[in-house]
Amino acid sequence: MKGLPSLHAFLSHLIDYAGLFPPANLELDAAIQNHFKYVTSEDSWILGPFIIPITKIHELQAYADLYKDHQVLRLSVVGRKSGTEAECLLQLQEDLEQIQYFMNQQQDWVKVETLEVPLPPIVPSQYLLQKMMDGAKRIGVNLFCEVAFLERDDWHQYLTNSIEAITHFNATHHEPLGVKIRTGGIKAEMIPSTKQVAQGISLCSQRKLPLKFTAGLHHPIRMYRDEVHAEMHGFLNIFMASMLAYHYSLDADVIEDIISDERDDHFVIHDDHLAWKELHLTSQEVRALRNQFVRSFGSCSFDEPRDELLELLNKRGP
């Protein structure tokens, strides 16, 4: 897969390994052993950080000898959910202290790159965002805010207002806050609609916010899956829609068309460009968009999305 410049630009560090999370729900030992196998394989260039909840970070000390002489263990730490701004701030301070202590003790073999914080179910205040950014800068990590809008009747207004708050904050800060959007789950009701995901991508692309995704993106192309009795989003759909939205300033309806498309022949992968129908991106454009805006997705499986994409490419032939 590494031979095509366009595909290499697209897949580079695309999948953050989240084996500890559903539906895999692996024990830490199994997940770490999987990650070490992936990060020392020939496909390690596709792999992003190991995703770990803050509640388990200190358990990683047991694996220092596994990584020390081979690889730096890159981490993305997921903070705890909260119900109010006050609870979020309290937990954030505790989580930051844990991360800082862990980094000080294990700095010779671990690098915490990202902190992912679920926002409380309110539009974030500028004070909350400032405290979050101050903490992230203090320990030297990137920060992504998960906006949980799926189960709200007012999801569109809440999502819009939350993205606006983050945009307003970023306008006066050099280091941008990123947005994390959930794209699936283990039950049908946990999977956001194409309209919901398209609106999230549209709002973030209009405002040039860094964006990452999590959950449900095990398959390249959108398809019906018996295990959830529902349509599951495809990671090729989601990332092509996102990159094209940022590049061409697409409106939400076109973004939704790309997300909804179940025709794999509409997604073109050539040596020097990627395309959906007539909308093209060069390898250089893909690389720039991935580096700056459309970052990665968390998946409890590394093999499944990689192997299914390879199957798709092999089916098409040379």
Side-chain angles (χ1 to χ4, degrees):
M1 284 198 291
K2 200 170 183 178
L4 300 177
S6 62
L7 194 61
H8 186 270
F10 171 59
L11 291 177
S12 182
H13 304 301
L14 181 70
I15 305 173
D16 300 339
Y17 181 56
L20 296 171
F21 294 82
N25 278 327
L26 298 177
E27 295 295 326
L28 180 60
D29 186 70
I32 280 289
Q33 296 297 336
N34 281 349
H35 180 267
F36 186 76
K37 178 180 69 175
Y38 303 144
V39 81
T40 54
S41 74
E42 63 179 13
D43 289 330
S44 61
W45 58 279
I46 305 174
L47 190 67
F50 182 83
I51 302 182
I52 189 165
I54 183 63
T55 53
K56 286 184 173 292
I57 191 169
H58 289 296
E59 296 178 35
L60 288 171
Q61 298 175 27
Y63 301 95
D65 290 341
L66 181 65
Y67 282 87
K68 270 184 179 178
D69 297 329
H70 300 279
Q71 296 282 340
V72 171
L73 175 59
R74 301 165 55 219
L75 296 179
S76 185
V77 179
V78 179
R80 292 170 287 170
K81 292 183 179 180
S82 59
T84 65
E85 180 169 304
E87 183 182 21
C88 183
L89 285 168
L90 178 61
Q91 290 182 170
L92 175 68
Q93 182 59 37
E94 293 172 349
D95 293 351
L96 289 168
E97 290 175 0
Q98 284 194 65
I99 294 170
Q100 185 66 75
Y101 179 81
F102 177 77
M103 291 170 65
N104 289 342
Q105 297 296 312
Q106 312 295 330
Q107 59 185 332
D108 56 336
W109 67 280
V110 172
K111 178 176 175 55
V112 179
E113 296 184 349
T114 305
L115 176 62
E116 305 177 18
V117 180
L119 291 175
I122 54 171
V123 176
S125 69
Q126 296 299 296
Y127 177 77
L128 173 61
L129 297 178
Q130 184 67 63
K131 287 294 185 181
M132 292 169 66
M133 177 56 79
D134 288 347
K137 287 175 65 176
R138 187 166 65 249
I139 64 173
V141 300
N142 297 315
L143 179 62
F144 281 81
C145 304
E146 181 179 346
V147 183
F149 57 90
L150 178 59
E151 297 179 355
R152 301 177 64 112
D153 292 335
D154 64 340
W155 70 267
H156 189 277
Q157 192 61 55
Y158 171 70
L159 179 62
T160 302
N161 292 345
S162 297
I163 297 298
E164 284 290 355
I166 294 170
T167 303
H168 179 68
F169 179 84
N170 283 356
T172 56
H173 293 78
H174 178 68
E175 297 87 355
L177 283 169
V179 175
K180 175 182 171 184
I181 294 179
R182 191 162 291 273
T183 45
I186 57 175
K187 299 178 182 179
E189 58 267 27
M190 299 172 69
I191 303 174
S193 68
T194 55
K195 183 178 182 64
Q196 288 174 315
V197 177
Q199 287 293 335
I201 292 171
S202 177
L203 289 166
C204 290
S205 64
Q206 291 168 18
R207 293 153 180 80
K208 297 296 186 284
L209 301 178
L211 181 60
K212 76 185 303 286
F213 301 92
T214 188
L217 299 181
H218 288 205
H219 316 289
I221 305 296
R222 179 176 172 81
M223 63 174 69
Y224 181 87
R225 299 292 298 186
D226 288 333
E227 64 264 32
V228 291
H229 304 293
E231 300 275 348
M232 292 183 71
H233 295 294
F235 67 84
L236 194 54
N237 298 70
I238 294 292
F239 276 80
M240 283 300 296
S242 300
M243 292 188 297
L244 290 168
Y246 278 82
H247 187 74
Y248 286 103
S249 301
L250 302 180
D251 63 36
D253 289 339
V254 178
I255 297 171
E256 186 175 3
D257 287 343
I258 304 171
I259 293 172
S260 305
D261 196 347
E262 298 183 24
R263 293 265 310 262
D264 63 67
D265 59 317
H266 288 167
F267 295 86
V268 179
I269 301 173
H270 282 310
D271 285 0
D272 60 351
H273 73 273
L274 303 179
W276 177 77
K277 295 184 177 180
E278 73 282 358
L279 297 175
H280 291 69
L281 292 168
T282 67
S283 300
Q284 292 81 4
E285 289 165 345
V286 170
R287 184 172 294 104
L289 288 162
R290 284 285 329 285
N291 286 340
Q292 190 170 5
F293 297 119
V294 191
R295 298 293 182 84
S296 62
F297 70 93
S299 173
C300 69
S301 173
F302 180 70
D303 293 326
E304 195 171 16
R306 178 199 58 187
D307 292 349
E308 288 198 18
L309 181 60
L310 183 58
E311 288 175 13
L312 178 63
L313 296 173
N314 289 338
K315 183 180 73 172
R316 295 180 178 184

